[in-house]
Amino acid sequence: MYVADSRARASAHDAVRPRAGRRRAAVAPTVLALGAVSLVTDVSSEMVTAVLPLYLVTGLGLSPLGFGLLDGIYNGFSALVRLVGGHLADRGGGRHKWVAGLGYGVSAVCKPLLLVAHSLTPIGIVLAADRTGKGLRTAPRDALISLSSTPETRGRAFGVHRAMDTAGALLGPLVAFLILRATVDGYDAVFTVSFCVAVLGLLVLVLFVPGGRDAAPARERPTLRAAMGLLRGRDLRRITVCALLLGLATVGDSFVYLLLQRRLGVPDRWFALLPLGTAAVFLLLAVPLGRLADRVGRWTVFLAGHAALFLAYVLLLTSWHGTGLPYLVLALHGGFYAATDGVLMAAASDSVPEALRSSGLAVVQTGQALTRFACSLLFGAAWTVWGDRAALAGAAVALAVCAAFSLTARPKEAVTS
Amino acid sequence: MTVRNRVLILVSAVAVLAAVGLASVLHASARAERRDHTQAGGPRVPSGTVALNGSGRLVFRNMAWGPHRDELTSVPAGDPGGPRTASGVRCLRFHAASGTGVCLQAVHGPVSDTYRALVLDARLRTLDHYDVPGIPSRARVSPTGHFAAWTAFVGGDSYAGTNFSTRTAIVDTRSGALIPSLESFRIVRDGRPYRAADVNFWGVTFADDDRTFYATLASKGHTHLVRGDLRDRTVTTLHTNVECPSLSPDGTRVAYKKRVAGLSKDAPWRLYVLDLRTMRETPLAESRSVDDQAVWKDTRTVVYALPGDYGADLYQVPADGSGKPRRIASAAVSPAYLG
């Protein structure tokens, strides 16, 4: 029903677009709508994430240790879900919105299920389903962002989306703890409100994100083989290979925080706040770095992000204990995300045909997620055998080598006019 | 559909969703309020003075509904079901010995709660306090009262993160010197140095020499009983599959929870006693899963908490595997026998 509609709406938006847009085109309404959906959905999901440890320990009296054991198996499954999501979204000439909607819907339904899951196995299943929803929606959503913005403003569009997304992630815990305060351990209220917020996100998607694009009738039906065939294209192959290699040298967040605490002596009471530091910097820098990527080239910014990560590793390796050092490491870590997360999607979008946009982005994201997971395993093993310092030094060297390789393998920059 | 209609749908949906959310919050806060009214048929809990140097007393966190919920209360050790004297001090976890107490409590911040550990003197006055980096789990004071230890869960930090770890700290209550994490101790496993990123410690129990302690070390999916040395800052593995050890008053045995194969993931533990000389394990007569660090009432009896109608109830069982468990107090947790 939106095929005809979206056009009318687009022109309506053109009419109300502020004149300042002449100077630099405003972000497409669809991108803002998707940003709003992500913001609201992240409020909902981070509400649950924030109270989950407390709920398990004090609400249910369960021991949360060993809860992460299934993570390994689940990571593989989640990668598969992502590829399937991307593929489904491309079939039938662009069903991105509906596949993304399915993903948001699955995650929303999981919230009330938490009210009835009272032991570890059902809770584990609900969390897995929640992440399946996230896996399903990520590639189609990013495809929608790239399809609804012009190639020369894609970096900014992704930046705006990531900033809104991160804002939601920062707000969620706040909302959850305010509810817990008002209700004294009212976890049921937190989950109910989280569900209501998730439904709101889904509704914004359904109402304000245009559906099937009036794409030219696809000459060939997008198949899995066609999706894999994308990798025969030189640019996407290079991007994917580089993302894979760099992912292999990207130490997981929890390790970074653990190292910050151990090597730089961050006090225990700040430990829980470290991820907030990364998120805040990500939020602040996502738009400026996205715009910069549009201007100076996405690959340049993407690699500069990894240079920031490299610098963070080096700072963690020094034995200098300045008071500002933890802040600097967090700033670099947040900067790394701002310069790479959305920017990689913008860069990859340039080399994937529209008809296969979701599948193409899913391939890059999945590859990156898998090599990052492999890095976590390797890093943990290296830590056991050689200690944290040597493991980190190894990661730093690997990162430098992979970045140098990526510098030579830079894909042809798309239009930057 | 016009933009106007869409906005209308969104606004009405927001109204409905807000109503549902508000109703759930109101429902939950009304329920919270009921807990402040004295529960019918519950124990009598008058205010009074609780001291940690009296003998023949049992002190625990009272969980019975009413104005003194979550406060430390004391009862005669011989009549734990009797009236409880409430102290006015609220703790999530507690332990005491030789006139020194450790109380892990929540501090209500502007947004979320943080946690701290109080070191208390015999009259429950705060001598010192320390930040606790996560949700309190275990607390213990050495028999001499000179050391206190606590364990907290430190939560996941990624999207739908499910990785948790523990952090265990030990403090010298005389000097105030703090070991923020046992992870800084050297580990000797099977005679060789061991290190890993995923090392976790929990459940410290002290010997009476102000130097030796026992605890659980977990790494790579296995738990070990370790003997720690506060002077050399080392821990040495002694036995596998031991969690939350509790050293007997005579220092010869350790009561602990053992993960028994074939049980459900939610209730995997049984109470055991390990003889430290022979390393012989004795299952106790409690047939339910126990997730607690037991305390020794005397050299023959251990006391532990099990989930109950008001949070938790206290039970006792003989330490030699004989007899059967007996409930000694309802709506109570974190017991400490004095004197």
Side-chain angles (χ1 to χ4, degrees), chain A residues 5 9 53-54 65 68 71 119-120 134 137 177 181-183 188 203 207 261-262 268-269 383-386, chain B residues 1 6 13-14 25 29 31-32 109 111-113 115 131 159 162-164 167 183 195 197 202 220 266:
Chain A
D5 239 27
R9 229 166 51 75
L54 210 55
L65 287 177
D71 270 12
S119 51
L120 284 179
K134 187 180 160 61
R137 71 193 179 227
F177 285 121
R181 173 63 47 78
T183 57
D188 50 346
L203 215 63
L207 290 173
Q261 191 181 33
R262 291 204 167 186
D268 265 345
R269 72 196 127 126
W383 184 318
T384 305
V385 181
W386 296 303
Chain B
M1 211 191 304
R6 280 180 224 179
V14 166
V25 171
S29 60
R31 183 187 53 210
V111 182
S112 68
D113 286 356
Y115 303 95
D131 292 318
Y159 184 92
T162 46
N163 283 306
F164 297 89
R167 195 74 37 82
E183 284 157 46
R195 64 188 164 194
W202 62 87
K220 308 270 179 260
D266 295 310

Tab-separated table of all heavy atoms in Angstrom, chain A residues 5 9 53-54 65 68 71 119-120 134 137 177 181-183 188 203 207 261-262 268-269 383-386, chain B residues 1 6 13-14 25 29 31-32 109 111-113 115 131 159 162-164 167 183 195 197 202 220 266:
chain	number	residue	atom	x	y	z
A	5	ASP	N	1.972	5.348	-2.242
A	5	ASP	CA	1.966	6.338	-1.180
A	5	ASP	C	3.301	7.044	-0.988
A	5	ASP	O	3.350	8.234	-0.759
A	5	ASP	CB	1.652	5.607	0.127
A	5	ASP	CG	0.406	6.183	0.738
A	5	ASP	OD1	-0.406	6.703	-0.046
A	5	ASP	OD2	0.282	6.106	1.956
A	9	ARG	N	4.314	10.988	-0.486
A	9	ARG	CA	4.909	11.453	0.754
A	9	ARG	C	6.262	12.119	0.501
A	9	ARG	O	6.578	13.131	1.082
A	9	ARG	CB	5.091	10.274	1.706
A	9	ARG	CG	4.569	10.548	3.066
A	9	ARG	CD	4.466	9.268	3.848
A	9	ARG	NE	5.707	8.510	3.807
A	9	ARG	CZ	6.783	8.833	4.501
A	9	ARG	NH1	6.772	9.891	5.278
A	9	ARG	NH2	7.858	8.105	4.420
A	53	PRO	N	21.110	-8.693	34.815
A	53	PRO	CA	21.916	-9.316	35.879
A	53	PRO	C	21.231	-9.223	37.236
A	53	PRO	O	21.174	-10.195	37.982
A	53	PRO	CB	23.209	-8.494	35.874
A	53	PRO	CG	23.239	-7.773	34.598
A	53	PRO	CD	21.835	-7.625	34.120
A	54	LEU	N	20.691	-8.036	37.522
A	54	LEU	CA	20.010	-7.813	38.794
A	54	LEU	C	18.796	-8.721	38.913
A	54	LEU	O	18.515	-9.302	39.970
A	54	LEU	CB	19.568	-6.345	38.833
A	54	LEU	CG	19.476	-5.660	40.173
A	54	LEU	CD1	20.789	-5.777	40.910
A	54	LEU	CD2	19.119	-4.200	39.983
A	65	LEU	N	26.447	-16.939	36.347
A	65	LEU	CA	27.732	-17.384	35.796
A	65	LEU	C	27.514	-18.506	34.796
A	65	LEU	O	26.647	-19.345	34.959
A	65	LEU	CB	28.640	-17.875	36.907
A	65	LEU	CG	29.216	-16.788	37.791
A	65	LEU	CD1	30.028	-17.415	38.896
A	65	LEU	CD2	30.067	-15.839	36.978
A	68	GLY	N	27.076	-17.130	29.611
A	68	GLY	CA	27.623	-16.786	28.309
A	68	GLY	C	28.152	-17.983	27.541
A	68	GLY	O	28.647	-17.842	26.445
A	71	ASP	N	27.077	-18.530	24.066
A	71	ASP	CA	27.375	-17.446	23.138
A	71	ASP	C	28.071	-17.926	21.876
A	71	ASP	O	27.762	-17.479	20.786
A	71	ASP	CB	28.230	-16.387	23.825
A	71	ASP	CG	27.366	-15.333	24.490
A	71	ASP	OD1	26.146	-15.584	24.581
A	71	ASP	OD2	27.888	-14.306	24.913
A	119	SER	N	13.369	-19.609	34.625
A	119	SER	CA	14.604	-20.345	34.878
A	119	SER	C	15.566	-20.156	33.714
A	119	SER	O	15.193	-19.600	32.673
A	119	SER	CB	14.312	-21.818	35.139
A	119	SER	OG	13.493	-22.320	34.124
A	120	LEU	N	16.786	-20.609	33.892
A	120	LEU	CA	17.854	-20.235	32.967
A	120	LEU	C	17.595	-20.653	31.522
A	120	LEU	O	17.800	-19.868	30.610
A	120	LEU	CB	19.185	-20.834	33.441
A	120	LEU	CG	19.842	-20.119	34.620
A	120	LEU	CD1	21.126	-20.819	35.021
A	120	LEU	CD2	20.134	-18.665	34.272
A	134	LYS	N	17.206	-9.306	16.131
A	134	LYS	CA	18.198	-8.292	15.812
A	134	LYS	C	19.001	-8.692	14.568
A	134	LYS	O	19.255	-7.869	13.697
A	134	LYS	CB	19.139	-8.094	16.995
A	134	LYS	CG	20.103	-6.929	16.800
A	134	LYS	CD	21.010	-6.788	18.002
A	134	LYS	CE	22.265	-5.994	17.680
A	134	LYS	NZ	22.002	-4.629	17.241
A	137	ARG	N	16.974	-8.131	11.328
A	137	ARG	CA	16.610	-6.783	10.889
A	137	ARG	C	17.803	-5.937	10.468
A	137	ARG	O	17.639	-4.957	9.745
A	137	ARG	CB	15.831	-6.065	11.980
A	137	ARG	CG	16.671	-5.658	13.188
A	137	ARG	CD	15.800	-5.254	14.347
A	137	ARG	NE	16.582	-4.886	15.509
A	137	ARG	CZ	16.340	-5.324	16.726
A	137	ARG	NH1	15.364	-6.182	16.929
A	137	ARG	NH2	17.059	-4.913	17.741
A	177	PHE	N	16.105	1.932	35.234
A	177	PHE	CA	16.434	2.115	36.649
A	177	PHE	C	15.447	3.062	37.337
A	177	PHE	O	15.166	2.914	38.523
A	177	PHE	CB	17.875	2.583	36.807
A	177	PHE	CG	18.852	1.470	36.568
A	177	PHE	CD1	19.804	1.553	35.579
A	177	PHE	CD2	18.787	0.310	37.333
A	177	PHE	CE1	20.695	0.511	35.355
A	177	PHE	CE2	19.671	-0.742	37.118
A	177	PHE	CZ	20.622	-0.639	36.123
A	181	ARG	N	13.331	1.998	40.558
A	181	ARG	CA	13.310	2.841	41.739
A	181	ARG	C	11.879	3.086	42.202
A	181	ARG	O	11.557	2.981	43.382
A	181	ARG	CB	14.005	4.175	41.424
A	181	ARG	CG	13.922	5.237	42.498
A	181	ARG	CD	14.601	4.797	43.775
A	181	ARG	NE	15.899	4.230	43.521
A	181	ARG	CZ	16.991	4.952	43.261
A	181	ARG	NH1	16.930	6.251	43.247
A	181	ARG	NH2	18.133	4.359	43.038
A	182	ALA	N	11.003	3.370	41.238
A	182	ALA	CA	9.620	3.703	41.582
A	182	ALA	C	8.863	2.487	42.100
A	182	ALA	O	7.905	2.623	42.853
A	182	ALA	CB	8.905	4.292	40.369
A	183	THR	N	9.281	1.296	41.693
A	183	THR	CA	8.472	0.123	42.011
A	183	THR	C	9.169	-0.828	42.983
A	183	THR	O	8.591	-1.857	43.322
A	183	THR	CB	8.168	-0.676	40.729
A	183	THR	OG1	9.413	-1.038	40.119
A	183	THR	CG2	7.365	0.151	39.755
A	188	ASP	N	8.769	-6.916	36.553
A	188	ASP	CA	7.647	-7.120	35.635
A	188	ASP	C	7.252	-5.798	34.978
A	188	ASP	O	6.939	-5.751	33.791
A	188	ASP	CB	6.462	-7.775	36.356
A	188	ASP	CG	6.107	-7.064	37.654
A	188	ASP	OD1	6.928	-6.250	38.130
A	188	ASP	OD2	5.013	-7.325	38.188
A	203	LEU	N	5.720	0.156	15.355
A	203	LEU	CA	4.662	0.970	14.768
A	203	LEU	C	5.232	2.121	13.941
A	203	LEU	O	4.741	2.423	12.849
A	203	LEU	CB	3.798	1.526	15.909
A	203	LEU	CG	2.325	1.662	15.606
A	203	LEU	CD1	1.724	0.293	15.340
A	203	LEU	CD2	1.623	2.336	16.766
A	207	LEU	N	4.425	2.595	10.040
A	207	LEU	CA	3.708	3.787	9.593
A	207	LEU	C	4.567	4.755	8.790
A	207	LEU	O	4.088	5.398	7.870
A	207	LEU	CB	3.131	4.535	10.811
A	207	LEU	CG	1.975	3.863	11.535
A	207	LEU	CD1	1.631	4.638	12.795
A	207	LEU	CD2	0.755	3.759	10.629
A	261	GLN	N	40.849	-1.683	33.055
A	261	GLN	CA	40.831	-1.779	34.498
A	261	GLN	C	42.147	-2.330	35.039
A	261	GLN	O	42.688	-1.821	36.013
A	261	GLN	CB	39.664	-2.650	34.931
A	261	GLN	CG	39.462	-2.540	36.414
A	261	GLN	CD	38.337	-3.393	36.900
A	261	GLN	OE1	38.086	-4.464	36.352
A	261	GLN	NE2	37.665	-2.935	37.915
A	262	ARG	N	42.648	-3.359	34.387
A	262	ARG	CA	43.851	-4.006	34.907
A	262	ARG	C	45.096	-3.186	34.667
A	262	ARG	O	45.936	-3.036	35.537
A	262	ARG	CB	44.046	-5.345	34.204
A	262	ARG	CG	43.005	-6.325	34.580
A	262	ARG	CD	43.538	-7.692	34.356
A	262	ARG	NE	42.669	-8.651	35.002
A	262	ARG	CZ	42.944	-9.931	35.082
A	262	ARG	NH1	44.049	-10.381	34.559
A	262	ARG	NH2	42.122	-10.739	35.683
A	268	ASP	N	37.086	0.003	40.554
A	268	ASP	CA	35.967	-0.903	40.352
A	268	ASP	C	34.634	-0.197	40.128
A	268	ASP	O	33.833	-0.611	39.312
A	268	ASP	CB	35.825	-1.815	41.574
A	268	ASP	CG	36.547	-3.128	41.352
A	268	ASP	OD1	36.882	-3.404	40.186
A	268	ASP	OD2	36.773	-3.853	42.332
A	269	ARG	N	34.417	0.883	40.883
A	269	ARG	CA	33.080	1.489	40.806
A	269	ARG	C	32.823	2.138	39.463
A	269	ARG	O	31.699	2.437	39.108
A	269	ARG	CB	32.884	2.468	41.945
A	269	ARG	CG	33.681	3.752	41.806
A	269	ARG	CD	33.753	4.478	43.113
A	269	ARG	NE	35.149	4.742	43.411
A	269	ARG	CZ	35.620	5.947	43.673
A	269	ARG	NH1	34.800	6.953	43.741
A	269	ARG	NH2	36.896	6.126	43.898
A	383	TRP	N	45.913	-14.778	25.916
A	383	TRP	CA	45.980	-14.246	27.274
A	383	TRP	C	46.378	-15.369	28.249
A	383	TRP	O	47.225	-15.190	29.121
A	383	TRP	CB	44.621	-13.656	27.630
A	383	TRP	CG	44.534	-12.981	28.962
A	383	TRP	CD1	45.076	-13.414	30.141
A	383	TRP	CD2	43.874	-11.748	29.249
A	383	TRP	NE1	44.779	-12.533	31.143
A	383	TRP	CE2	44.044	-11.502	30.630
A	383	TRP	CE3	43.140	-10.840	28.484
A	383	TRP	CZ2	43.503	-10.384	31.253
A	383	TRP	CZ3	42.603	-9.730	29.117
A	383	TRP	CH2	42.782	-9.496	30.478
A	384	THR	N	45.732	-16.526	28.059
A	384	THR	CA	46.011	-17.656	28.946
A	384	THR	C	47.465	-18.096	28.831
A	384	THR	O	48.132	-18.368	29.820
A	384	THR	CB	45.096	-18.841	28.577
A	384	THR	OG1	43.749	-18.379	28.620
A	384	THR	CG2	45.266	-19.990	29.553
A	385	VAL	N	47.963	-18.152	27.591
A	385	VAL	CA	49.304	-18.697	27.376
A	385	VAL	C	50.385	-17.661	27.669
A	385	VAL	O	51.368	-17.953	28.352
A	385	VAL	CB	49.445	-19.210	25.926
A	385	VAL	CG1	50.836	-19.791	25.709
A	385	VAL	CG2	48.381	-20.267	25.649
A	386	TRP	N	50.203	-16.428	27.193
A	386	TRP	CA	51.290	-15.440	27.271
A	386	TRP	C	51.013	-14.273	28.224
A	386	TRP	O	51.864	-13.415	28.406
A	386	TRP	CB	51.596	-14.882	25.884
A	386	TRP	CG	52.104	-15.913	24.934
A	386	TRP	CD1	53.204	-16.719	25.115
A	386	TRP	CD2	51.560	-16.266	23.661
A	386	TRP	NE1	53.363	-17.552	24.038
A	386	TRP	CE2	52.369	-17.291	23.123
A	386	TRP	CE3	50.465	-15.809	22.919
A	386	TRP	CZ2	52.112	-17.867	21.893
A	386	TRP	CZ3	50.213	-16.382	21.693
A	386	TRP	CH2	51.027	-17.408	21.196
B	1	MET	N	-2.601	5.822	2.737
B	1	MET	CA	-2.896	6.454	4.026
B	1	MET	C	-2.215	7.816	4.086
B	1	MET	O	-1.048	7.937	3.733
B	1	MET	CB	-2.378	5.565	5.158
B	1	MET	CG	-3.217	5.686	6.405
B	1	MET	SD	-2.411	4.876	7.788
B	1	MET	CE	-2.176	3.230	7.162
B	6	ARG	N	-1.742	8.585	9.660
B	6	ARG	CA	-0.650	7.855	10.309
B	6	ARG	C	-0.308	8.450	11.657
B	6	ARG	O	-0.095	7.731	12.630
B	6	ARG	CB	0.590	7.904	9.423
B	6	ARG	CG	0.515	6.905	8.313
B	6	ARG	CD	1.744	6.998	7.488
B	6	ARG	NE	1.335	6.945	6.104
B	6	ARG	CZ	2.173	7.023	5.094
B	6	ARG	NH1	3.449	7.212	5.329
B	6	ARG	NH2	1.734	6.947	3.879
B	13	ALA	N	-1.981	5.000	19.478
B	13	ALA	CA	-1.200	3.850	19.961
B	13	ALA	C	-0.326	4.253	21.140
B	13	ALA	O	-0.229	3.523	22.131
B	13	ALA	CB	-0.337	3.293	18.831
B	14	VAL	N	0.276	5.418	21.052
B	14	VAL	CA	1.118	5.888	22.158
B	14	VAL	C	0.278	5.994	23.429
B	14	VAL	O	0.703	5.589	24.514
B	14	VAL	CB	1.775	7.246	21.814
B	14	VAL	CG1	2.351	7.892	23.067
B	14	VAL	CG2	2.870	7.052	20.781
B	25	VAL	N	3.456	-0.160	36.054
B	25	VAL	CA	4.304	0.492	37.060
B	25	VAL	C	3.515	0.701	38.355
B	25	VAL	O	4.005	0.422	39.456
B	25	VAL	CB	4.849	1.832	36.525
B	25	VAL	CG1	5.545	2.612	37.633
B	25	VAL	CG2	5.827	1.579	35.382
B	29	SER	N	4.272	-0.866	42.035
B	29	SER	CA	4.614	-0.062	43.209
B	29	SER	C	3.612	-0.295	44.341
B	29	SER	O	3.972	-0.219	45.511
B	29	SER	CB	4.755	1.421	42.859
B	29	SER	OG	3.561	1.900	42.339
B	31	ARG	N	2.333	-3.199	44.943
B	31	ARG	CA	2.821	-4.445	45.523
B	31	ARG	C	4.011	-4.187	46.446
B	31	ARG	O	4.114	-4.759	47.530
B	31	ARG	CB	3.236	-5.377	44.378
B	31	ARG	CG	3.701	-6.748	44.824
B	31	ARG	CD	4.241	-7.517	43.655
B	31	ARG	NE	5.266	-6.750	42.966
B	31	ARG	CZ	5.539	-6.839	41.673
B	31	ARG	NH1	4.859	-7.660	40.911
B	31	ARG	NH2	6.484	-6.099	41.140
B	32	ALA	N	4.872	-3.269	46.018
B	32	ALA	CA	6.037	-2.949	46.843
B	32	ALA	C	5.594	-2.359	48.175
B	32	ALA	O	6.181	-2.626	49.212
B	32	ALA	CB	6.948	-1.977	46.102
B	109	GLY	N	21.384	5.617	44.241
B	109	GLY	CA	21.923	6.774	43.530
B	109	GLY	C	20.796	7.517	42.842
B	109	GLY	O	19.639	7.119	42.939
B	111	VAL	N	20.113	7.585	39.758
B	111	VAL	CA	19.498	6.723	38.756
B	111	VAL	C	19.483	5.274	39.231
B	111	VAL	O	18.481	4.752	39.684
B	111	VAL	CB	20.206	6.837	37.399
B	111	VAL	CG1	19.501	5.952	36.379
B	111	VAL	CG2	20.205	8.272	36.930
B	112	SER	N	20.632	4.635	39.177
B	112	SER	CA	20.646	3.227	39.552
B	112	SER	C	21.294	3.063	40.926
B	112	SER	O	21.906	3.981	41.455
B	112	SER	CB	21.417	2.426	38.513
B	112	SER	OG	22.776	2.778	38.564
B	113	ASP	N	21.125	1.878	41.484
B	113	ASP	CA	21.759	1.569	42.756
B	113	ASP	C	23.230	1.264	42.538
B	113	ASP	O	23.608	0.677	41.531
B	113	ASP	CB	21.109	0.335	43.385
B	113	ASP	CG	19.734	0.652	43.939
B	113	ASP	OD1	19.348	1.836	43.900
B	113	ASP	OD2	19.063	-0.271	44.414
B	115	TYR	N	26.605	-0.297	45.061
B	115	TYR	CA	26.718	-1.143	46.246
B	115	TYR	C	27.988	-0.829	47.002
B	115	TYR	O	28.980	-0.407	46.413
B	115	TYR	CB	26.706	-2.618	45.824
B	115	TYR	CG	25.475	-2.972	45.044
B	115	TYR	CD1	25.488	-2.943	43.653
B	115	TYR	CD2	24.287	-3.270	45.696
B	115	TYR	CE1	24.345	-3.224	42.927
B	115	TYR	CE2	23.143	-3.557	44.986
B	115	TYR	CZ	23.174	-3.533	43.602
B	115	TYR	OH	22.037	-3.807	42.897
B	131	ASP	N	33.676	0.562	47.984
B	131	ASP	CA	32.787	0.358	46.841
B	131	ASP	C	32.785	-1.109	46.447
B	131	ASP	O	33.827	-1.754	46.425
B	131	ASP	CB	33.259	1.188	45.646
B	131	ASP	CG	33.080	2.663	45.895
B	131	ASP	OD1	32.026	3.027	46.440
B	131	ASP	OD2	33.990	3.448	45.565
B	159	TYR	N	25.392	-5.600	23.948
B	159	TYR	CA	23.997	-5.728	23.568
B	159	TYR	C	23.485	-7.110	23.957
B	159	TYR	O	24.047	-8.114	23.557
B	159	TYR	CB	23.839	-5.524	22.061
B	159	TYR	CG	22.405	-5.554	21.616
B	159	TYR	CD1	21.670	-4.385	21.536
B	159	TYR	CD2	21.780	-6.752	21.321
B	159	TYR	CE1	20.362	-4.408	21.158
B	159	TYR	CE2	20.469	-6.788	20.942
B	159	TYR	CZ	19.760	-5.611	20.849
B	159	TYR	OH	18.451	-5.659	20.479
B	162	THR	N	25.441	-11.446	27.854
B	162	THR	CA	25.145	-12.499	28.810
B	162	THR	C	26.417	-12.997	29.467
B	162	THR	O	26.453	-14.079	30.002
B	162	THR	CB	24.432	-13.662	28.116
B	162	THR	OG1	25.126	-13.947	26.915
B	162	THR	CG2	23.007	-13.319	27.807
B	163	ASN	N	27.479	-12.218	29.380
B	163	ASN	CA	28.704	-12.636	30.038
B	163	ASN	C	28.808	-11.976	31.401
B	163	ASN	O	28.835	-10.764	31.503
B	163	ASN	CB	29.917	-12.262	29.199
B	163	ASN	CG	30.075	-13.207	28.045
B	163	ASN	OD1	30.117	-14.419	28.233
B	163	ASN	ND2	30.120	-12.663	26.851
B	164	PHE	N	28.863	-12.799	32.435
B	164	PHE	CA	28.989	-12.258	33.770
B	164	PHE	C	30.305	-12.738	34.356
B	164	PHE	O	30.816	-13.779	33.998
B	164	PHE	CB	27.846	-12.737	34.649
B	164	PHE	CG	26.516	-12.261	34.178
B	164	PHE	CD1	25.793	-13.003	33.268
B	164	PHE	CD2	26.001	-11.068	34.629
B	164	PHE	CE1	24.568	-12.569	32.820
B	164	PHE	CE2	24.776	-10.618	34.177
B	164	PHE	CZ	24.060	-11.370	33.272
B	167	ARG	N	33.751	-10.636	41.116
B	167	ARG	CA	34.901	-9.910	41.628
B	167	ARG	C	34.921	-10.156	43.131
B	167	ARG	O	33.919	-9.949	43.816
B	167	ARG	CB	34.730	-8.414	41.312
B	167	ARG	CG	35.945	-7.550	41.448
B	167	ARG	CD	36.989	-7.713	40.319
B	167	ARG	NE	36.455	-7.919	38.988
B	167	ARG	CZ	36.036	-6.942	38.204
B	167	ARG	NH1	36.092	-5.708	38.590
B	167	ARG	NH2	35.563	-7.203	37.015
B	183	GLU	N	42.005	-11.617	41.698
B	183	GLU	CA	42.611	-11.952	40.410
B	183	GLU	C	44.057	-11.472	40.319
B	183	GLU	O	44.789	-11.856	39.411
B	183	GLU	CB	41.770	-11.381	39.270
B	183	GLU	CG	40.511	-12.201	39.050
B	183	GLU	CD	39.405	-11.416	38.351
B	183	GLU	OE1	39.700	-10.746	37.366
B	183	GLU	OE2	38.247	-11.493	38.813
B	195	ARG	N	47.512	-18.845	34.357
B	195	ARG	CA	46.827	-17.563	34.167
B	195	ARG	C	45.869	-17.687	32.991
B	195	ARG	O	46.098	-18.466	32.057
B	195	ARG	CB	47.825	-16.431	33.952
B	195	ARG	CG	48.632	-16.590	32.698
B	195	ARG	CD	49.734	-15.568	32.621
B	195	ARG	NE	50.691	-16.007	31.608
B	195	ARG	CZ	51.895	-15.493	31.470
B	195	ARG	NH1	52.292	-14.540	32.264
B	195	ARG	NH2	52.702	-15.927	30.519
B	197	ALA	N	42.371	-15.236	31.043
B	197	ALA	CA	41.543	-14.034	31.097
B	197	ALA	C	40.231	-14.306	31.812
B	197	ALA	O	39.607	-13.400	32.355
B	197	ALA	CB	41.262	-13.532	29.684
B	202	TRP	N	35.189	-16.720	43.828
B	202	TRP	CA	34.077	-16.344	44.700
B	202	TRP	C	34.077	-17.185	45.976
B	202	TRP	O	34.767	-18.199	46.066
B	202	TRP	CB	32.732	-16.414	43.975
B	202	TRP	CG	32.281	-17.736	43.440
B	202	TRP	CD1	31.579	-18.698	44.107
B	202	TRP	CD2	32.428	-18.217	42.089
B	202	TRP	NE1	31.286	-19.745	43.265
B	202	TRP	CE2	31.790	-19.484	42.021
B	202	TRP	CE3	33.027	-17.712	40.937
B	202	TRP	CZ2	31.750	-20.235	40.843
B	202	TRP	CZ3	32.977	-18.474	39.780
B	202	TRP	CH2	32.346	-19.705	39.736
B	220	LYS	N	37.699	-21.665	32.501
B	220	LYS	CA	37.435	-22.627	31.432
B	220	LYS	C	36.328	-23.622	31.810
B	220	LYS	O	36.433	-24.815	31.537
B	220	LYS	CB	38.709	-23.410	31.083
B	220	LYS	CG	39.904	-22.521	30.807
B	220	LYS	CD	40.006	-22.132	29.345
B	220	LYS	CE	41.180	-21.230	29.086
B	220	LYS	NZ	40.806	-19.811	28.982
B	266	ASP	N	19.018	-25.236	36.431
B	266	ASP	CA	18.597	-24.216	37.381
B	266	ASP	C	18.872	-24.617	38.822
B	266	ASP	O	18.873	-23.783	39.711
B	266	ASP	CB	17.100	-23.948	37.234
B	266	ASP	CG	16.807	-23.349	35.888
B	266	ASP	OD1	17.484	-22.392	35.536
B	266	ASP	OD2	15.914	-23.877	35.200
